[in-house]
Each structure stands twice: as structure tokens, then as C-alpha cells.
């Protein structure tokens, strides 16, 4: 009998059997056998092509002979490397060699260009990322003479991998293999699979940069803060702008003259000068109001209990700015409509506000007041949310800083319903019942 799970056979059976263990044939042995077959059949075969066939066979000599027969028949007796990888749809390892050179150079954009070439050649991204991980593993094995035998490749491919692997550090190869493994695990759940692979290639390049981690040692990393810089205390903006403590009030009583007391006047001892703190002036100090003072900035307040009340788009700060600037250019209803339409064209993403502005047109009341009649409370709340930006836009376009918007909800007549053809026919039939008999008698349809 033949079994691949010898451990499941009970000992009483195994003790009565002669056991022959079969193993996978190594790639060098398959290559030697294929070279012998090629010489006997009169077929010219490159060693690199036979290496691809042996790798594709995955340790099976029968599969290797079948693949070799197919490639030899399609190549007309001359098996080349280029024809073999094209026939078997195998990704050329030279792509991986170019990628490794780009990794060592830290050229992220070149790795993306090579990845684009691979995709244009018709190879799947998951197949590519798994092949890259296997190639990096072979580089790890080939860089050491004790493990070079673990690389399942021909002598020419082994020597080339040994040269490239000697230029790579073990830490770089470990991180690169780990990133390829993470990309393989996340590939099936990723929404943008191309971006996942490109990000993995960029991370592999970054692992050889001067700052692969968040440390502070080495060129290209964050510069350490010298101990001399930390001696001078830094004063924050809040401390710098804090109000100074008022001096003590002068005494109300008269000081006794030294002649009257008979005491010899002595110089008052001077306190040692306090070291001046180093103030960091990289950012301008924010002027905060002193305690007890009220800020002049006010927000518009709306009464929710009386939503239908006219809402004026003014506040104290805006009025102060208007008085200071003094722009008071006269405007007409046409100018007002043009500024209103320009706002609609400039902000198409504000769909709710724009739709409300199309149905509610502004009306010039006087030199500084503009009235807007709204249909519902929803439109009123929408205008209130965008009131500051809309009002500033209108003032800039009309060159009038005294302009205010008066918003109010008005009760308009409901729009008349337009009857369609069927509704119109039913209405006529209700008024003229004989028309229904006429339609049924002639079997008319609408």
C-alpha cells in the first residue's frame, strides 16, 4: 500500500511491512536529468530554462518531464529562458533583482514603476507579492555559505543571489519578508489592492532609510535637544501675556525724617537681580482680555421661542468693522440680484442653501437693508448657519459694509397642482358621465 500519512497506520501493520520513504527530488537533480533527456532527444536547452521547469515541477520528475516536453514542442527543439517563462506564465526573477536594487537605493518611485510593468505583463498582485517574499527568503539563505544549499535554484541563480544577498543586511531582509507576509494576509480584505502593494514597497524602501524607526540617533532623524538648550527656562505665551502684578500702593502716612528721629540713614539692601527667563518668540503672543473685562466679540443670538420673528444678520463686531471701513456704495436691485447669483455659482456644494436662495430672492428695502422672504423654518435655520459667510460676500460684492439681511418666514399660497393626462380625463368624466360610455363603446384607451 501507499500512504502519505504513515503515522496513522497502527503499529501492528507497520511491523509487518517493508517501508520505503519517498522524498521530493531536488531541483539540481531534476536539472541534471532534464539535461540528459535533452541530449538524448537532440534538444538544445538553456540551464536557466531547465531551472524554471524544475521549480515549476515542485519536486516531481514526472511533472518536470511533461512540462519539458510541452516547452520543447512549442519552441521547435530549442528551449530558451525567455520562451520558457512565456509558455509557463512565470514571472522573471530579473524583476525581483531590479526591485532589490531599487530597495537598496531607496528609490520608491522606481519600485512602483517596476510593479506597474509586472501588472501590465498580466501577473496578479498577490502572485507578485508572494514571489517577492520567496525571493527575499532565498537572498537570506544565499548570503551565508552554510545555508546556500537551501536555495532551490541553479548554480547561476545561486551565485547571483549570493552577490545581492551579501549587500543586504539581515535586519533589512527580516523586515522586508515581514512586510510581504503582512501584505499577503491583508490582501484579501483590502479595498484598494494596488495601493496596498505600493505601500508595502514604499515601507521596504523606508526600512533602509536613515530613520526607519522613531529613534533620535543617526543622520536624517530628529535632532537631539542639547543639554545647554534645556538650561534656559522657556516661558509660554500664557505666562508672557499674563498681566503684571501691580506695585504696592504708596503709604498714606508721612515718613518720619531722619533728622527728627536722629537715626542715621542707611542704604536699603538691594535684592539680587532675578535671572531673566528666555522667552521663545517664535509665535506671537495671543492677547487675552484682562480679568473682569468683557470681550467685544459677540455671536448673533436667535430666539427659538419666536422663530417667525425677523432675523437681522448683524452683530456688534460687524457693525464696528463697517463703521470703521466706511464702505457705503449705493447699489440697485440689479446689483443685488447679480451678487446673489454669483454666490450661488461660487458655492454649488452648499446645496441646501443654494436651493433656498434660488427660490427666495432678495429685495432691496433701503440703502442698508435687504429683505428675504423664506418659505419654511428649515430654510430659515439653513440661512442662519451660513449667514456670516453670505453677508460678507454680499458686502464685498456691493462695496457696502452697512448691508444687513432681514430674514422672515412668510405664508405663501401653495403651488397649484398641474393635472396629468389621466387626471384630466377623470375630471372631465366626472363632469360629463356620458363621455365614459362613449370611450367604452369605441374601446378607446389613453
Amino acid at each position: 500500500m501507499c500512504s502519505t500519512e504513515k503515522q496513522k497506520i497502527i503499529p501492528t501493520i507497520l511491523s509487518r511491512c517493508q517501508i520505503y520513504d519517498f522524498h521530493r527530488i531536488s531541483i539540481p537533480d531534476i536539472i541534471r536529468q532534464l539535461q540528459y533527456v535533452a541530449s538524448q532527444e537532440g534538444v538544445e536547452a538553456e540551464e536557466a530554462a531547465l531551472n524554471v521547469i524544475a521549480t515549476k515541477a515542485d519536486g516531481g520528475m514526472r511533472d518536470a518531464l511533461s512540462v519539458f516536453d510541452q516547452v520543447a514542442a512549442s519552441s521547435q527543439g530549442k528551449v530558451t529562458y525567455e520562451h520558457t517563462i512565456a509558455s509557463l506564465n512565470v514571472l522573471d526573477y530579473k524583476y525581483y533583482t531590479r526591485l532589490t536594487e531599487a530597495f537598496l537605493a531607496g528609490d520608491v518611485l522606481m519600485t512602483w514603476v517596476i510593479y506597474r510593468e509586472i501588472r501590465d505583463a498580466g501577473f496578479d498582485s498577490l502572485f507578485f507579492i508572494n514571489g517577492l517574499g520567496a525571493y527575499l527568503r532565498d537572498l537570506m539563505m544565499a548570503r551565508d555559505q552554510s545555508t546556500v544549499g537551501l536555495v532551490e535554484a541553479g548554480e547561476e541563480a545561486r551565485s547571483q543571489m549570493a552577490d545581492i544577498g551579501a549587500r543586504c543586511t539581515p535586519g533589512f531582509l527580516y523586515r522586508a519578508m515581514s512586510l510581504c507576509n503582512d501584505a499577503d494576509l491583508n490582501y484579501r480584505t483590502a479595498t484598494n489592492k494596488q495601493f496596498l502593494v505600493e505601500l508595502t514597497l514604499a515601507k521596504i524602501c523606508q526600512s533602509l532609510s536613515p530613520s526607519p524607526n522613531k529613534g533620535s540617533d543617526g543622520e536624517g532623524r530628529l535632532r537631539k535637544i542639547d543639554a545647554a538648550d534645556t538650561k534656559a527656562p522657556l516661558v509660554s505665551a500664557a505666562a508672557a501675556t499674563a498681566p503684571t502684578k501691580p506695585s504696592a500702593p504708596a503709604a498714606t502716612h508721612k515718613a518720619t525724617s531722619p533728622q527728627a528721629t536722629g537715626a542715621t540713614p542707611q542704604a536699603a539692601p538691594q535684592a539680587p537681580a532675578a535671572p531673566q527667563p528666555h522667552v521663545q518668540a517664535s509665535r506671537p503672543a495671543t492677547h487675552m482680555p484682562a480679568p473682569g473685562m468683557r470681550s467685544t466679540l459677540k455671536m448673533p443670538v436667535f430666539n427659538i421661542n419666536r422663530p417667525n420673528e425677523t432675523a437681522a444678520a448683524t452683530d456688534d463686531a460687524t457693525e464696528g468693522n463697517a463703521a470703521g471701513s466706511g464702505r457705503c456704495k449705493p447699489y440697485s436691485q440689479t446689483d443685488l440680484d447679480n451678487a446673489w447669483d454669483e454666490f450661488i455659482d461660487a458655492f454649488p456644494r452648499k446645496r441646501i442653501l443654494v436651493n433656498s436662495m434660488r427660490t427666495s430672492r432678495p429685495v432691496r428695502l433701503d440703502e442698508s437693508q435687504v429683505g428675504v422672504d423664506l418659505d419654511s423654518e428649515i430654510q430659515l435655520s439653513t440661512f442662519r448657519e451660513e449667514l456670516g459667510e453670505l453677508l460678507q460676500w454680499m458686502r464685498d460684492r456691493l462695496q457696502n459694509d452697512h448691508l444687513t439681511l432681514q430674514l422672515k418666514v412668510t405664508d405663501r399660497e401653495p403651488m397649484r397642482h398641474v393635472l396629468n393626462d389621466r387626471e384630466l380625463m377623470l375630471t372631465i368624466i366626472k363632469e360629463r358621465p356620458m363621455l365614459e360610455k362613449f370611450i367604452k363603446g369605441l374601446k378607446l384607451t389613453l
Side-chain angles (χ1 to χ4, degrees), residues 162-183:
D163 295 338
I164 299 176
R167 298 164 51 192
C168 303
T169 61
F172 162 70
L173 294 175
Y174 293 149
R175 288 191 294 268
M177 287 188 291
S178 177
L179 290 172
C180 290
N181 183 61
D182 294 341

Side-chain angles (χ1 to χ4, degrees), residues 23-36:
H23 303 280
R24 296 171 65 252
I25 304 176
S26 63
I27 290 180
D29 292 338
I30 295 178
I31 293 176
R32 284 193 295 268
Q33 184 64 24
L34 291 178
Q35 287 176 343
Y36 172 76

Side-chain angles (χ1 to χ4, degrees), residues 162-320:
D163 295 338
I164 299 176
R167 298 164 51 192
C168 303
T169 61
F172 162 70
L173 294 175
Y174 293 149
R175 288 191 294 268
M177 287 188 291
S178 177
L179 290 172
C180 290
N181 183 61
D182 294 341
D184 179 37
L185 296 176
N186 299 328
Y187 186 85
R188 293 167 182 82
T189 59
T191 303
N192 193 341
K193 303 183 186 303
Q194 176 183 345
F195 176 73
L196 173 65
V197 177
E198 291 176 347
L199 181 61
T200 302
L201 297 178
K203 288 182 179 179
I204 295 176
C205 290
Q206 180 67 18
S207 61
L208 278 177
S209 66
S211 56
N213 300 320
K214 297 181 180 179
S216 58
D217 297 332
E219 183 183 359
R221 298 188 175 95
L222 297 177
R223 184 179 65 86
K224 283 187 175 181
I225 300 177
D226 298 333
D229 296 341
T230 60
K231 291 180 180 180
L234 298 178
V235 179
S236 61
T241 58
T244 58
K245 185 176 181 180
S247 59
T252 56
H253 62 278
K254 288 185 178 181
T256 306
S257 63
Q259 290 80 4
T261 58
T264 303
Q266 295 182 359
Q270 297 181 356
Q276 295 294 332
H278 175 70
V279 180
Q280 186 176 3
S282 60
R283 294 171 54 186
T286 304
H287 297 282
M288 301 297 293
M293 297 179 61
R294 295 181 61 185
S295 174
T296 58
L297 180 60
K298 296 181 181 180
M299 298 299 293
V301 180
F302 305 103
N303 191 348
I304 61 176
N305 295 325
R306 291 178 291 176
N308 293 330
E309 184 178 348
T310 301
T314 56
D315 51 51
D316 295 345
T318 308
E319 291 177 357

Side-chain angles (χ1 to χ4, degrees), residues 42-271:
V43 177
E44 297 180 7
E46 297 179 359
E47 184 178 355
L50 298 180
N51 180 56
V52 174
I53 296 175
T55 305
K56 195 73 173 179
D58 194 21
M61 193 65 214
R62 183 180 60 181
D63 295 339
L65 292 174
S66 300
V67 174
F68 175 77
D69 187 31
Q70 296 175 5
V71 175
S74 61
S75 61
Q76 298 179 356
K78 187 175 182 180
V79 180
T80 60
Y81 176 76
E82 290 77 9
H83 183 76
T84 302
I85 61 176
S87 301
L88 301 180
N89 194 29
V90 175
L91 182 59
D92 191 356
Y93 74 94
K94 294 180 182 178
Y95 285 111
Y96 298 131
T97 304
R98 292 172 55 194
L99 278 173
T100 307
E101 296 290 345
F103 291 155
L104 296 177
D107 194 348
V108 177
L109 299 181
M110 179 55 64
T111 61
W112 290 355
V113 171
I114 298 173
Y115 171 55
R116 176 63 181 271
E117 295 177 3
I118 294 173
R119 288 192 298 109
D120 292 343
F123 292 97
D124 182 64
S125 298
L126 182 60
F127 175 79
F128 157 71
I129 205 68
N130 289 330
L132 178 60
Y135 181 80
L136 294 172
R137 178 258 182 195
D138 291 340
L139 290 182
M140 175 64 70
M141 298 297 104
R143 69 185 309 272
D144 194 345
Q145 293 296 330
S146 60
T147 57
V148 69
L150 299 177
V151 179
E152 296 182 348
E155 294 298 332
E156 181 182 357
R158 284 184 181 179
S159 61
Q160 187 176 7
M161 289 182 182
D163 295 338
I164 299 176
R167 298 164 51 192
C168 303
T169 61
F172 162 70
L173 294 175
Y174 293 149
R175 288 191 294 268
M177 287 188 291
S178 177
L179 290 172
C180 290
N181 183 61
D182 294 341
D184 179 37
L185 296 176
N186 299 328
Y187 186 85
R188 293 167 182 82
T189 59
T191 303
N192 193 341
K193 303 183 186 303
Q194 176 183 345
F195 176 73
L196 173 65
V197 177
E198 291 176 347
L199 181 61
T200 302
L201 297 178
K203 288 182 179 179
I204 295 176
C205 290
Q206 180 67 18
S207 61
L208 278 177
S209 66
S211 56
N213 300 320
K214 297 181 180 179
S216 58
D217 297 332
E219 183 183 359
R221 298 188 175 95
L222 297 177
R223 184 179 65 86
K224 283 187 175 181
I225 300 177
D226 298 333
D229 296 341
T230 60
K231 291 180 180 180
L234 298 178
V235 179
S236 61
T241 58
T244 58
K245 185 176 181 180
S247 59
T252 56
H253 62 278
K254 288 185 178 181
T256 306
S257 63
Q259 290 80 4
T261 58
T264 303
Q266 295 182 359
Q270 297 181 356

Side-chain angles (χ1 to χ4, degrees), residues 312-331 336 364-371 391-406:
T314 56
D315 51 51
D316 295 345
T318 308
E319 291 177 357
N321 294 335
S325 60
R327 294 185 301 178
C328 190
K329 181 179 179 181
Y331 61 92
L336 182 62
R364 182 180 181 277
L365 302 179
D366 53 28
E367 292 295 335
S368 61
Q369 293 186 1
V370 175
L391 183 60
Q392 186 63 36
W393 174 279
M394 300 297 293
R395 288 176 175 177
D396 293 339
R397 290 298 182 273
L398 300 177
Q399 297 295 317
N400 192 326
D401 293 328
H402 301 278
L403 180 70
T404 59
L405 295 179
Q406 304 293 336

